[in-house]
Amino acid sequence: MARRIDVTGTGGVRLAAWEFADPPKPDAEPASPGARRAGVAEPGAPGVLLLHGLMGRASHWAATARWLAGRHRAVALDQRGHGQSDKPARSAYTREAYVEDAEAAVEQLGLAPVLLIGHAMGALTAWQLAAKRPDLVRGLIICDMRASALGAASQREWTDWFRAWPVPFASLADVRTWFGEHDPWVERPSPARGAFYAEVMHECEDGWRPVFEPEQMLSSRETWVYDAHWEELAQVRCPTLVVRGLDGELGRAEAQEMVRVLPYGVYAEVPDAGHLAHYDRPAAWRAAVSPFLDALTGG
């Protein structure tokens, strides 16, 4: 079950937040006093905010959020321009706007002190918020996001990649096939990657197109791709786990340097996983982050 809660982001942008929990079974016996219902956190459970990456959406965190929901209040956010959140004008996709949106979600949903879990761009937003508002954040998990500047060549590659998409797609099956097999960025067939992109498509009169505007995604990316983010990383004062897929975009040397820079950094790897480690290998992802979560919550 996912319950939608509207959040007002900076500039009045309407954001869709999704709270995940397993619904109680109709024939279940009432729980005894002090007992915890499976899949449902107790009132006052610690809050978690999950932030997807560029082009992602809250539903990409569904498996992780439902797993967390037994001990946490797990909420995933459709960030501006993504999912079912508003898609404002191109000028609205600043780093400050993304961070302020996450800050507003934590405060309006009463999640503080929150555990922030972010993938890619969402991880950058998470550590920038943790640096800005340490009073709101009790822990941080960074999944496959680099602190180094990627540069102009990277932005040009992304621009060319968007232009290569054969939109509109005739069917969702074609979406899965292209992103999972035929995309020039795919090194080997990946059904999970195809499924990931199928989740960000919607049906239009002429076929299936992304729910976001590619130009807005490029606008979002250009606000951070030219800069390094080590200084803000060093300002994070809460326990932080840096996680990478062995075949992801974050290399081992850079990940370990990020851990060294963080005052309370810990490192973990997800074997046989790429950039979409949390989505592609959910069981291995859970195994990688569980020790950190147990240490953070004392359980």
Side-chain angles (χ1 to χ4, degrees):
M1 178 180 66
R3 179 171 69 97
R4 174 173 172 161
I5 311 168
D6 283 343
V7 170
T8 302
T10 189
V13 173
R14 182 188 56 82
L15 305 171
W18 302 88
E19 183 171 4
F20 289 83
D22 291 333
K25 293 180 174 59
D27 57 348
E29 296 182 4
S32 59
R36 180 173 62 83
R37 192 167 69 234
V40 180
E42 290 297 305
V48 177
L49 183 66
L50 300 116
L51 299 171
H52 60 73
L54 188 70
M55 300 182 295
R57 65 186 309 168
S59 62
H60 287 144
W61 284 117
T64 295
R66 292 193 175 100
W67 170 63
L68 290 168
R71 291 193 296 174
H72 305 80
R73 184 184 175 203
V75 178
L77 183 68
D78 276 335
Q79 296 172 82
R80 60 176 51 216
H82 298 75
Q84 294 189 29
S85 290
D86 283 350
K87 297 164 180 61
R90 179 171 180 170
S91 61
Y93 295 90
T94 65
R95 275 286 81 220
E96 292 77 13
Y98 277 106
V99 174
E100 289 170 4
D101 285 347
E103 182 179 4
V106 171
E107 293 185 322
Q108 292 174 32
L109 297 173
L111 297 174
V114 70
L115 166 63
L116 295 174
I117 303 178
H119 172 244
M121 184 189 74
L124 175 59
T125 299
W127 89 58
Q128 289 180 329
L129 176 56
K132 176 187 177 185
R133 292 290 308 274
D135 57 307
L136 293 183
V137 185
R138 65 186 175 91
L140 173 65
I141 297 179
I142 295 168
C143 179
D144 213 59
M145 179 60 190
R146 299 182 62 183
S148 298
L150 302 182
S154 174
Q155 189 72 353
R156 288 194 296 270
E157 289 174 0
W158 274 69
T159 301
D160 292 342
W161 179 58
F162 274 125
R163 290 171 179 165
W165 290 18
V167 291
F169 293 92
S171 66
L172 280 180
D174 288 341
V175 173
R176 296 186 184 97
T177 299
W178 195 82
F179 286 101
E181 299 178 23
H182 302 319
D183 183 344
W185 283 11
V186 173
E187 295 182 357
R188 59 178 182 271
S190 174
R193 189 174 187 273
F196 181 94
Y197 283 98
E199 285 195 45
V200 298
M201 299 289 165
H202 65 151
E203 191 171 16
C204 303
E205 291 185 0
D206 59 351
W208 292 81
R209 294 179 177 273
V211 298
F212 51 78
E213 294 294 333
E215 284 300 316
Q216 292 177 343
M217 298 299 99
L218 290 171
S219 295
S220 296
R221 195 172 187 271
E222 70 184 6
T223 65
W224 54 264
V225 72
Y226 303 115
D227 301 316
H229 306 283
W230 294 99
E231 183 176 351
E232 292 150 305
L233 194 69
Q235 295 170 3
V236 174
R237 297 299 172 187
C238 62
T240 302
L241 177 67
V242 177
V243 187
R244 62 178 291 268
L246 291 188
D247 296 321
E249 296 178 8
L250 176 61
R252 180 181 284 112
E254 184 170 352
Q256 292 177 342
E257 180 62 12
M258 290 169 66
V259 171
R260 189 193 68 79
V261 166
L262 285 158
Y264 304 101
V266 184
Y267 175 72
E269 294 180 345
V270 182
D272 196 27
H275 182 57
L276 307 176
H278 65 296
Y279 187 89
D280 188 14
R281 296 286 185 267
W285 158 257
R286 291 193 295 267
V289 302
S290 284
F292 178 81
L293 291 174
D294 288 344
L296 191 65
T297 60

